[in-house]
Amino acid sequence: MRKPYMRIPYTDVLASPTIIPHTATTISGAIAALREFFKAPLARGSPSTVVLSGAGISVASGLADYRGPQGTYRVNKTYRPIYYSEFIQNHEARKRYWARSFLGWTTLLKAKPNAGHYAVKHLGDLGLVRSVITQNVDSFHPKAHPQLPTIELHGYLRSCVCTSCHEELPRNTFQNELARLNPAWAAFLQEILATGALDTENPEERRARGLRTNPDGDVDLPDAPYTTFRYPACPRCLTAPPIIADGSRAKVEVDADGALKSTSTAGILKPAVIMFGENIRPPVKLAAEEAIENAESLLVLGTSLATYSAWRLAKRAKDRGIPIAIINIGGVRGEDAFFGDLDPSQKGDQGVRVELSTNELLPALVEQLRQPSSTRIVQEEHDHSIEQHGASAFKDMMS
């Protein structure tokens, strides 16, 4: 009997948030609260806010999220992402995954960072944000702010990685191989693109055209012949099959066109993302934990913190006693634990909870912070930190 797959957490609607402070219900009120939030770590001599972002920040780029108002778990109740064990063990499951990814990759490739991502860059330029931890796999953060360090907690879709030798392959190269191995699918994709079915951001319109789009470039085409889809082997393992535990060489077998056969025991390429049921790579996990340990405040953007890997980071920040600001449309997992003990009269220096679009709020915040009066306040706080901690410490904080 097959072991049941783990339950996807928090797919139901989470409780509506309590706005903190109560004046932060509008853009102007939220900006006022966030200005207080950013001033708090500066006053302590360490402008080291860390950002923790999720799928909500990329919605304005035309990508689907999981738990937002129009998220996949809300509008597609039958959706279930592929699990790591399923992908590794099941050749037919891999066919299905790569066929759907093949159809969705073009849309994901065309999508670009939005104003929210660039606002994070500008907050870094202003010396207010030190680094970013993102759950997203769309690479928008490193594209929008290559000079501001980004820890990609759940990996990235821009590459594939071999499950045997761990060699990476650019996703564009892999996409070309998929097209070569599946000419009928490639022709069908061109037909879909010609109709504009993948250009619309309206999920209802896409469903009307026979498509269901899900996060991370997944396009579901009901009744599609997924069993006919083929995918290539890892080029490195195909040339030199790896040695397995018993000392023999693994089998990497392909058909006449180079498509991986189900009899292979190595050379399986997967997206370079952390799938459900897969462990985060230890160096990435450690880097994220260290970022939280060194932070003086945490800014959470566009995430319900439903996944434990993200929630535990926010919980660690709370346990350390640093201020937390959450900007997210919809509820957040266990958010009372983050704000329940705040002074009701505080204006944002202890914590902020806002239910507004990051794409609207963050650029407006940056615009306000760039005003001469705001710049002077920030500079005064920087100067104060130099007096208290010395120029070398300030240089480290801004690096």
Side-chain angles (χ1 to χ4, degrees), residues 165-199:
C165 71
H166 309 296
E167 185 88 351
E168 290 197 5
L169 183 72
R171 183 62 175 80
N172 281 336
T173 301
F174 187 75
Q175 182 78 359
N176 292 337
E177 278 296 286
L178 293 179
R180 182 185 66 82
L181 291 171
N182 302 278
W185 282 85
F188 178 63
L189 174 58
Q190 293 306 312
E191 291 177 9
I192 294 176
L193 293 172
T195 68
L198 292 175
D199 292 332

PDB file of all heavy atoms in Angstrom, residues 165-199:
ATOM      1  N   CYS A 165      24.240  13.538 -10.328  1.00  0.00           N
ATOM      2  CA  CYS A 165      25.539  14.211 -10.273  1.00  0.00           C
ATOM      3  C   CYS A 165      25.439  15.656  -9.805  1.00  0.00           C
ATOM      4  O   CYS A 165      26.459  16.302  -9.564  1.00  0.00           O
ATOM      5  CB  CYS A 165      26.229  14.155 -11.638  1.00  0.00           C
ATOM      6  SG  CYS A 165      25.464  15.218 -12.904  1.00  0.00           S
ATOM      7  N   HIS A 166      24.217  16.184  -9.730  1.00  0.00           N
ATOM      8  CA  HIS A 166      23.934  17.545  -9.253  1.00  0.00           C
ATOM      9  C   HIS A 166      24.436  18.634 -10.194  1.00  0.00           C
ATOM     10  O   HIS A 166      24.508  19.804  -9.809  1.00  0.00           O
ATOM     11  CB  HIS A 166      24.494  17.755  -7.843  1.00  0.00           C
ATOM     12  CG  HIS A 166      24.083  16.688  -6.875  1.00  0.00           C
ATOM     13  ND1 HIS A 166      22.766  16.500  -6.515  1.00  0.00           N
ATOM     14  CD2 HIS A 166      24.807  15.722  -6.240  1.00  0.00           C
ATOM     15  CE1 HIS A 166      22.686  15.477  -5.667  1.00  0.00           C
ATOM     16  NE2 HIS A 166      23.904  14.991  -5.499  1.00  0.00           N
ATOM     17  N   GLU A 167      24.759  18.268 -11.404  1.00  0.00           N
ATOM     18  CA  GLU A 167      25.125  19.253 -12.425  1.00  0.00           C
ATOM     19  C   GLU A 167      23.870  20.052 -12.813  1.00  0.00           C
ATOM     20  O   GLU A 167      22.779  19.489 -12.932  1.00  0.00           O
ATOM     21  CB  GLU A 167      25.684  18.547 -13.658  1.00  0.00           C
ATOM     22  CG  GLU A 167      26.207  19.456 -14.732  1.00  0.00           C
ATOM     23  CD  GLU A 167      27.655  19.833 -14.549  1.00  0.00           C
ATOM     24  OE1 GLU A 167      28.237  19.520 -13.484  1.00  0.00           O
ATOM     25  OE2 GLU A 167      28.207  20.443 -15.472  1.00  0.00           O
ATOM     26  N   GLU A 168      24.033  21.356 -13.017  1.00  0.00           N
ATOM     27  CA  GLU A 168      22.901  22.192 -13.426  1.00  0.00           C
ATOM     28  C   GLU A 168      22.910  22.404 -14.940  1.00  0.00           C
ATOM     29  O   GLU A 168      23.965  22.411 -15.573  1.00  0.00           O
ATOM     30  CB  GLU A 168      22.927  23.542 -12.694  1.00  0.00           C
ATOM     31  CG  GLU A 168      22.601  23.418 -11.226  1.00  0.00           C
ATOM     32  CD  GLU A 168      22.231  24.750 -10.587  1.00  0.00           C
ATOM     33  OE1 GLU A 168      22.141  25.769 -11.319  1.00  0.00           O
ATOM     34  OE2 GLU A 168      22.006  24.768  -9.366  1.00  0.00           O
ATOM     35  N   LEU A 169      21.717  22.575 -15.477  1.00  0.00           N
ATOM     36  CA  LEU A 169      21.518  22.813 -16.902  1.00  0.00           C
ATOM     37  C   LEU A 169      20.562  23.983 -17.042  1.00  0.00           C
ATOM     38  O   LEU A 169      19.503  23.989 -16.403  1.00  0.00           O
ATOM     39  CB  LEU A 169      20.922  21.567 -17.565  1.00  0.00           C
ATOM     40  CG  LEU A 169      20.717  21.601 -19.082  1.00  0.00           C
ATOM     41  CD1 LEU A 169      22.059  21.514 -19.799  1.00  0.00           C
ATOM     42  CD2 LEU A 169      19.813  20.446 -19.530  1.00  0.00           C
ATOM     43  N   PRO A 170      20.897  25.002 -17.844  1.00  0.00           N
ATOM     44  CA  PRO A 170      19.978  26.136 -17.999  1.00  0.00           C
ATOM     45  C   PRO A 170      18.608  25.678 -18.478  1.00  0.00           C
ATOM     46  O   PRO A 170      18.496  24.813 -19.363  1.00  0.00           O
ATOM     47  CB  PRO A 170      20.673  27.016 -19.043  1.00  0.00           C
ATOM     48  CG  PRO A 170      22.121  26.656 -18.939  1.00  0.00           C
ATOM     49  CD  PRO A 170      22.146  25.198 -18.603  1.00  0.00           C
ATOM     50  N   ARG A 171      17.551  26.254 -17.901  1.00  0.00           N
ATOM     51  CA  ARG A 171      16.192  25.838 -18.258  1.00  0.00           C
ATOM     52  C   ARG A 171      15.887  26.120 -19.717  1.00  0.00           C
ATOM     53  O   ARG A 171      15.143  25.342 -20.359  1.00  0.00           O
ATOM     54  CB  ARG A 171      15.187  26.563 -17.351  1.00  0.00           C
ATOM     55  CG  ARG A 171      13.729  26.160 -17.577  1.00  0.00           C
ATOM     56  CD  ARG A 171      13.489  24.689 -17.295  1.00  0.00           C
ATOM     57  NE  ARG A 171      12.086  24.350 -17.391  1.00  0.00           N
ATOM     58  CZ  ARG A 171      11.419  24.135 -18.530  1.00  0.00           C
ATOM     59  NH1 ARG A 171      12.058  24.229 -19.685  1.00  0.00           N
ATOM     60  NH2 ARG A 171      10.144  23.832 -18.508  1.00  0.00           N
ATOM     61  N   ASN A 172      16.438  27.183 -20.294  1.00  0.00           N
ATOM     62  CA  ASN A 172      16.206  27.462 -21.715  1.00  0.00           C
ATOM     63  C   ASN A 172      16.771  26.354 -22.592  1.00  0.00           C
ATOM     64  O   ASN A 172      16.155  25.949 -23.582  1.00  0.00           O
ATOM     65  CB  ASN A 172      16.820  28.805 -22.110  1.00  0.00           C
ATOM     66  CG  ASN A 172      15.965  29.975 -21.706  1.00  0.00           C
ATOM     67  OD1 ASN A 172      14.754  29.836 -21.547  1.00  0.00           O
ATOM     68  ND2 ASN A 172      16.578  31.129 -21.522  1.00  0.00           N
ATOM     69  N   THR A 173      17.964  25.857 -22.236  1.00  0.00           N
ATOM     70  CA  THR A 173      18.563  24.742 -22.981  1.00  0.00           C
ATOM     71  C   THR A 173      17.683  23.506 -22.869  1.00  0.00           C
ATOM     72  O   THR A 173      17.451  22.790 -23.859  1.00  0.00           O
ATOM     73  CB  THR A 173      19.966  24.444 -22.434  1.00  0.00           C
ATOM     74  OG1 THR A 173      20.787  25.602 -22.563  1.00  0.00           O
ATOM     75  CG2 THR A 173      20.613  23.281 -23.178  1.00  0.00           C
ATOM     76  N   PHE A 174      17.191  23.249 -21.671  1.00  0.00           N
ATOM     77  CA  PHE A 174      16.311  22.107 -21.443  1.00  0.00           C
ATOM     78  C   PHE A 174      15.013  22.258 -22.222  1.00  0.00           C
ATOM     79  O   PHE A 174      14.509  21.283 -22.813  1.00  0.00           O
ATOM     80  CB  PHE A 174      16.023  21.991 -19.942  1.00  0.00           C
ATOM     81  CG  PHE A 174      15.262  20.763 -19.548  1.00  0.00           C
ATOM     82  CD1 PHE A 174      15.875  19.526 -19.509  1.00  0.00           C
ATOM     83  CD2 PHE A 174      13.926  20.839 -19.192  1.00  0.00           C
ATOM     84  CE1 PHE A 174      15.169  18.392 -19.139  1.00  0.00           C
ATOM     85  CE2 PHE A 174      13.217  19.720 -18.813  1.00  0.00           C
ATOM     86  CZ  PHE A 174      13.838  18.488 -18.788  1.00  0.00           C
ATOM     87  N   GLN A 175      14.469  23.481 -22.267  1.00  0.00           N
ATOM     88  CA  GLN A 175      13.238  23.736 -23.016  1.00  0.00           C
ATOM     89  C   GLN A 175      13.431  23.415 -24.497  1.00  0.00           C
ATOM     90  O   GLN A 175      12.547  22.821 -25.136  1.00  0.00           O
ATOM     91  CB  GLN A 175      12.815  25.194 -22.849  1.00  0.00           C
ATOM     92  CG  GLN A 175      11.511  25.565 -23.549  1.00  0.00           C
ATOM     93  CD  GLN A 175      10.270  25.121 -22.799  1.00  0.00           C
ATOM     94  OE1 GLN A 175      10.373  24.506 -21.729  1.00  0.00           O
ATOM     95  NE2 GLN A 175       9.095  25.424 -23.324  1.00  0.00           N
ATOM     96  N   ASN A 176      14.573  23.784 -25.047  1.00  0.00           N
ATOM     97  CA  ASN A 176      14.853  23.487 -26.459  1.00  0.00           C
ATOM     98  C   ASN A 176      14.911  21.986 -26.706  1.00  0.00           C
ATOM     99  O   ASN A 176      14.453  21.499 -27.747  1.00  0.00           O
ATOM    100  CB  ASN A 176      16.160  24.149 -26.881  1.00  0.00           C
ATOM    101  CG  ASN A 176      16.072  25.662 -26.917  1.00  0.00           C
ATOM    102  OD1 ASN A 176      14.985  26.221 -27.048  1.00  0.00           O
ATOM    103  ND2 ASN A 176      17.202  26.328 -26.791  1.00  0.00           N
ATOM    104  N   GLU A 177      15.477  21.257 -25.747  1.00  0.00           N
ATOM    105  CA  GLU A 177      15.522  19.798 -25.877  1.00  0.00           C
ATOM    106  C   GLU A 177      14.125  19.193 -25.799  1.00  0.00           C
ATOM    107  O   GLU A 177      13.802  18.249 -26.530  1.00  0.00           O
ATOM    108  CB  GLU A 177      16.426  19.207 -24.792  1.00  0.00           C
ATOM    109  CG  GLU A 177      17.898  19.260 -25.113  1.00  0.00           C
ATOM    110  CD  GLU A 177      18.216  18.411 -26.328  1.00  0.00           C
ATOM    111  OE1 GLU A 177      18.225  17.164 -26.217  1.00  0.00           O
ATOM    112  OE2 GLU A 177      18.434  18.987 -27.416  1.00  0.00           O
ATOM    113  N   LEU A 178      13.298  19.726 -24.912  1.00  0.00           N
ATOM    114  CA  LEU A 178      11.916  19.238 -24.833  1.00  0.00           C
ATOM    115  C   LEU A 178      11.180  19.469 -26.153  1.00  0.00           C
ATOM    116  O   LEU A 178      10.429  18.601 -26.617  1.00  0.00           O
ATOM    117  CB  LEU A 178      11.168  19.941 -23.695  1.00  0.00           C
ATOM    118  CG  LEU A 178      11.625  19.636 -22.274  1.00  0.00           C
ATOM    119  CD1 LEU A 178      10.788  20.433 -21.268  1.00  0.00           C
ATOM    120  CD2 LEU A 178      11.536  18.144 -21.959  1.00  0.00           C
ATOM    121  N   ALA A 179      11.386  20.620 -26.754  1.00  0.00           N
ATOM    122  CA  ALA A 179      10.741  20.922 -28.035  1.00  0.00           C
ATOM    123  C   ALA A 179      11.232  19.969 -29.122  1.00  0.00           C
ATOM    124  O   ALA A 179      10.441  19.495 -29.950  1.00  0.00           O
ATOM    125  CB  ALA A 179      11.018  22.362 -28.430  1.00  0.00           C
ATOM    126  N   ARG A 180      12.544  19.668 -29.120  1.00  0.00           N
ATOM    127  CA  ARG A 180      13.089  18.754 -30.129  1.00  0.00           C
ATOM    128  C   ARG A 180      12.526  17.352 -29.978  1.00  0.00           C
ATOM    129  O   ARG A 180      12.203  16.690 -30.979  1.00  0.00           O
ATOM    130  CB  ARG A 180      14.623  18.714 -29.996  1.00  0.00           C
ATOM    131  CG  ARG A 180      15.310  17.829 -31.034  1.00  0.00           C
ATOM    132  CD  ARG A 180      16.803  17.735 -30.793  1.00  0.00           C
ATOM    133  NE  ARG A 180      17.126  17.041 -29.549  1.00  0.00           N
ATOM    134  CZ  ARG A 180      17.162  15.711 -29.427  1.00  0.00           C
ATOM    135  NH1 ARG A 180      16.854  14.926 -30.456  1.00  0.00           N
ATOM    136  NH2 ARG A 180      17.477  15.150 -28.276  1.00  0.00           N
ATOM    137  N   LEU A 181      12.376  16.902 -28.738  1.00  0.00           N
ATOM    138  CA  LEU A 181      11.894  15.544 -28.490  1.00  0.00           C
ATOM    139  C   LEU A 181      10.380  15.401 -28.647  1.00  0.00           C
ATOM    140  O   LEU A 181       9.874  14.288 -28.777  1.00  0.00           O
ATOM    141  CB  LEU A 181      12.283  15.101 -27.074  1.00  0.00           C
ATOM    142  CG  LEU A 181      13.779  14.875 -26.816  1.00  0.00           C
ATOM    143  CD1 LEU A 181      14.033  14.667 -25.334  1.00  0.00           C
ATOM    144  CD2 LEU A 181      14.279  13.687 -27.623  1.00  0.00           C
ATOM    145  N   ASN A 182       9.666  16.536 -28.636  1.00  0.00           N
ATOM    146  CA  ASN A 182       8.196  16.502 -28.668  1.00  0.00           C
ATOM    147  C   ASN A 182       7.672  17.489 -29.707  1.00  0.00           C
ATOM    148  O   ASN A 182       7.052  18.508 -29.358  1.00  0.00           O
ATOM    149  CB  ASN A 182       7.655  16.858 -27.279  1.00  0.00           C
ATOM    150  CG  ASN A 182       8.150  15.921 -26.188  1.00  0.00           C
ATOM    151  OD1 ASN A 182       7.621  14.839 -25.987  1.00  0.00           O
ATOM    152  ND2 ASN A 182       9.189  16.352 -25.468  1.00  0.00           N
ATOM    153  N   PRO A 183       7.903  17.219 -30.991  1.00  0.00           N
ATOM    154  CA  PRO A 183       7.508  18.177 -32.031  1.00  0.00           C
ATOM    155  C   PRO A 183       6.013  18.469 -32.063  1.00  0.00           C
ATOM    156  O   PRO A 183       5.615  19.611 -32.322  1.00  0.00           O
ATOM    157  CB  PRO A 183       7.991  17.510 -33.333  1.00  0.00           C
ATOM    158  CG  PRO A 183       8.173  16.058 -33.000  1.00  0.00           C
ATOM    159  CD  PRO A 183       8.582  16.032 -31.566  1.00  0.00           C
ATOM    160  N   ALA A 184       5.169  17.476 -31.790  1.00  0.00           N
ATOM    161  CA  ALA A 184       3.724  17.715 -31.787  1.00  0.00           C
ATOM    162  C   ALA A 184       3.346  18.658 -30.651  1.00  0.00           C
ATOM    163  O   ALA A 184       2.511  19.561 -30.821  1.00  0.00           O
ATOM    164  CB  ALA A 184       2.969  16.394 -31.670  1.00  0.00           C
ATOM    165  N   TRP A 185       3.954  18.479 -29.480  1.00  0.00           N
ATOM    166  CA  TRP A 185       3.696  19.373 -28.353  1.00  0.00           C
ATOM    167  C   TRP A 185       4.214  20.780 -28.649  1.00  0.00           C
ATOM    168  O   TRP A 185       3.576  21.772 -28.281  1.00  0.00           O
ATOM    169  CB  TRP A 185       4.359  18.826 -27.092  1.00  0.00           C
ATOM    170  CG  TRP A 185       3.618  17.698 -26.438  1.00  0.00           C
ATOM    171  CD1 TRP A 185       3.696  16.379 -26.755  1.00  0.00           C
ATOM    172  CD2 TRP A 185       2.696  17.795 -25.356  1.00  0.00           C
ATOM    173  NE1 TRP A 185       2.878  15.640 -25.932  1.00  0.00           N
ATOM    174  CE2 TRP A 185       2.265  16.484 -25.058  1.00  0.00           C
ATOM    175  CE3 TRP A 185       2.209  18.858 -24.593  1.00  0.00           C
ATOM    176  CZ2 TRP A 185       1.352  16.210 -24.049  1.00  0.00           C
ATOM    177  CZ3 TRP A 185       1.301  18.586 -23.577  1.00  0.00           C
ATOM    178  CH2 TRP A 185       0.877  17.274 -23.314  1.00  0.00           C
ATOM    179  N   ALA A 186       5.371  20.853 -29.302  1.00  0.00           N
ATOM    180  CA  ALA A 186       5.936  22.165 -29.642  1.00  0.00           C
ATOM    181  C   ALA A 186       5.018  22.921 -30.596  1.00  0.00           C
ATOM    182  O   ALA A 186       4.803  24.131 -30.463  1.00  0.00           O
ATOM    183  CB  ALA A 186       7.323  21.989 -30.256  1.00  0.00           C
ATOM    184  N   ALA A 187       4.449  22.188 -31.561  1.00  0.00           N
ATOM    185  CA  ALA A 187       3.517  22.815 -32.502  1.00  0.00           C
ATOM    186  C   ALA A 187       2.250  23.268 -31.776  1.00  0.00           C
ATOM    187  O   ALA A 187       1.720  24.356 -32.045  1.00  0.00           O
ATOM    188  CB  ALA A 187       3.168  21.836 -33.617  1.00  0.00           C
ATOM    189  N   PHE A 188       1.797  22.443 -30.829  1.00  0.00           N
ATOM    190  CA  PHE A 188       0.607  22.797 -30.054  1.00  0.00           C
ATOM    191  C   PHE A 188       0.865  24.039 -29.206  1.00  0.00           C
ATOM    192  O   PHE A 188       0.003  24.920 -29.090  1.00  0.00           O
ATOM    193  CB  PHE A 188       0.207  21.614 -29.177  1.00  0.00           C
ATOM    194  CG  PHE A 188      -0.976  21.885 -28.292  1.00  0.00           C
ATOM    195  CD1 PHE A 188      -2.222  22.164 -28.827  1.00  0.00           C
ATOM    196  CD2 PHE A 188      -0.842  21.882 -26.909  1.00  0.00           C
ATOM    197  CE1 PHE A 188      -3.314  22.427 -28.010  1.00  0.00           C
ATOM    198  CE2 PHE A 188      -1.917  22.137 -26.081  1.00  0.00           C
ATOM    199  CZ  PHE A 188      -3.161  22.412 -26.642  1.00  0.00           C
ATOM    200  N   LEU A 189       2.060  24.139 -28.633  1.00  0.00           N
ATOM    201  CA  LEU A 189       2.402  25.305 -27.836  1.00  0.00           C
ATOM    202  C   LEU A 189       2.360  26.568 -28.692  1.00  0.00           C
ATOM    203  O   LEU A 189       1.854  27.610 -28.259  1.00  0.00           O
ATOM    204  CB  LEU A 189       3.794  25.134 -27.221  1.00  0.00           C
ATOM    205  CG  LEU A 189       4.362  26.348 -26.472  1.00  0.00           C
ATOM    206  CD1 LEU A 189       3.437  26.781 -25.342  1.00  0.00           C
ATOM    207  CD2 LEU A 189       5.760  26.033 -25.934  1.00  0.00           C
ATOM    208  N   GLN A 190       2.857  26.480 -29.912  1.00  0.00           N
ATOM    209  CA  GLN A 190       2.818  27.640 -30.797  1.00  0.00           C
ATOM    210  C   GLN A 190       1.384  28.046 -31.118  1.00  0.00           C
ATOM    211  O   GLN A 190       1.065  29.238 -31.223  1.00  0.00           O
ATOM    212  CB  GLN A 190       3.601  27.342 -32.081  1.00  0.00           C
ATOM    213  CG  GLN A 190       5.097  27.164 -31.874  1.00  0.00           C
ATOM    214  CD  GLN A 190       5.726  28.333 -31.152  1.00  0.00           C
ATOM    215  OE1 GLN A 190       5.507  29.498 -31.503  1.00  0.00           O
ATOM    216  NE2 GLN A 190       6.509  28.043 -30.110  1.00  0.00           N
ATOM    217  N   GLU A 191       0.507  27.057 -31.264  1.00  0.00           N
ATOM    218  CA  GLU A 191      -0.903  27.354 -31.509  1.00  0.00           C
ATOM    219  C   GLU A 191      -1.519  28.070 -30.314  1.00  0.00           C
ATOM    220  O   GLU A 191      -2.278  29.043 -30.473  1.00  0.00           O
ATOM    221  CB  GLU A 191      -1.669  26.054 -31.787  1.00  0.00           C
ATOM    222  CG  GLU A 191      -1.305  25.384 -33.114  1.00  0.00           C
ATOM    223  CD  GLU A 191      -2.042  24.069 -33.293  1.00  0.00           C
ATOM    224  OE1 GLU A 191      -2.956  23.777 -32.477  1.00  0.00           O
ATOM    225  OE2 GLU A 191      -1.697  23.322 -34.230  1.00  0.00           O
ATOM    226  N   ILE A 192      -1.202  27.605 -29.103  1.00  0.00           N
ATOM    227  CA  ILE A 192      -1.725  28.235 -27.890  1.00  0.00           C
ATOM    228  C   ILE A 192      -1.237  29.675 -27.792  1.00  0.00           C
ATOM    229  O   ILE A 192      -1.997  30.602 -27.500  1.00  0.00           O
ATOM    230  CB  ILE A 192      -1.299  27.446 -26.638  1.00  0.00           C
ATOM    231  CG1 ILE A 192      -1.931  26.063 -26.618  1.00  0.00           C
ATOM    232  CG2 ILE A 192      -1.687  28.202 -25.366  1.00  0.00           C
ATOM    233  CD1 ILE A 192      -1.468  25.204 -25.462  1.00  0.00           C
ATOM    234  N   LEU A 193       0.063  29.860 -28.057  1.00  0.00           N
ATOM    235  CA  LEU A 193       0.632  31.203 -27.986  1.00  0.00           C
ATOM    236  C   LEU A 193      -0.029  32.136 -29.006  1.00  0.00           C
ATOM    237  O   LEU A 193      -0.264  33.309 -28.732  1.00  0.00           O
ATOM    238  CB  LEU A 193       2.142  31.152 -28.225  1.00  0.00           C
ATOM    239  CG  LEU A 193       2.961  30.448 -27.128  1.00  0.00           C
ATOM    240  CD1 LEU A 193       4.409  30.291 -27.571  1.00  0.00           C
ATOM    241  CD2 LEU A 193       2.878  31.227 -25.823  1.00  0.00           C
ATOM    242  N   ALA A 194      -0.341  31.592 -30.174  1.00  0.00           N
ATOM    243  CA  ALA A 194      -0.961  32.407 -31.225  1.00  0.00           C
ATOM    244  C   ALA A 194      -2.363  32.875 -30.830  1.00  0.00           C
ATOM    245  O   ALA A 194      -2.803  33.959 -31.240  1.00  0.00           O
ATOM    246  CB  ALA A 194      -1.013  31.616 -32.527  1.00  0.00           C
ATOM    247  N   THR A 195      -3.072  32.086 -30.041  1.00  0.00           N
ATOM    248  CA  THR A 195      -4.423  32.473 -29.609  1.00  0.00           C
ATOM    249  C   THR A 195      -4.405  33.505 -28.492  1.00  0.00           C
ATOM    250  O   THR A 195      -5.432  34.115 -28.192  1.00  0.00           O
ATOM    251  CB  THR A 195      -5.209  31.246 -29.117  1.00  0.00           C
ATOM    252  OG1 THR A 195      -4.621  30.760 -27.891  1.00  0.00           O
ATOM    253  CG2 THR A 195      -5.227  30.140 -30.151  1.00  0.00           C
ATOM    254  N   GLY A 196      -3.238  33.677 -27.847  1.00  0.00           N
ATOM    255  CA  GLY A 196      -3.157  34.600 -26.722  1.00  0.00           C
ATOM    256  C   GLY A 196      -3.662  34.006 -25.423  1.00  0.00           C
ATOM    257  O   GLY A 196      -3.802  34.726 -24.431  1.00  0.00           O
ATOM    258  N   ALA A 197      -3.926  32.711 -25.397  1.00  0.00           N
ATOM    259  CA  ALA A 197      -4.497  32.083 -24.204  1.00  0.00           C
ATOM    260  C   ALA A 197      -3.564  32.167 -23.008  1.00  0.00           C
ATOM    261  O   ALA A 197      -4.024  32.199 -21.860  1.00  0.00           O
ATOM    262  CB  ALA A 197      -4.827  30.618 -24.493  1.00  0.00           C
ATOM    263  N   LEU A 198      -2.252  32.204 -23.258  1.00  0.00           N
ATOM    264  CA  LEU A 198      -1.302  32.285 -22.156  1.00  0.00           C
ATOM    265  C   LEU A 198      -0.909  33.715 -21.821  1.00  0.00           C
ATOM    266  O   LEU A 198      -0.143  33.950 -20.887  1.00  0.00           O
ATOM    267  CB  LEU A 198      -0.036  31.474 -22.494  1.00  0.00           C
ATOM    268  CG  LEU A 198      -0.228  29.959 -22.571  1.00  0.00           C
ATOM    269  CD1 LEU A 198       1.052  29.280 -23.018  1.00  0.00           C
ATOM    270  CD2 LEU A 198      -0.679  29.397 -21.224  1.00  0.00           C
ATOM    271  N   ASP A 199      -1.439  34.668 -22.581  1.00  0.00           N
ATOM    272  CA  ASP A 199      -1.101  36.070 -22.332  1.00  0.00           C
ATOM    273  C   ASP A 199      -2.022  36.723 -21.309  1.00  0.00           C
ATOM    274  O   ASP A 199      -1.635  37.661 -20.626  1.00  0.00           O
ATOM    275  CB  ASP A 199      -1.152  36.882 -23.635  1.00  0.00           C
ATOM    276  CG  ASP A 199      -0.047  36.475 -24.595  1.00  0.00           C
ATOM    277  OD1 ASP A 199       1.002  36.016 -24.111  1.00  0.00           O
ATOM    278  OD2 ASP A 199      -0.241  36.605 -25.816  1.00  0.00           O
TER     279      ASP A 199
END
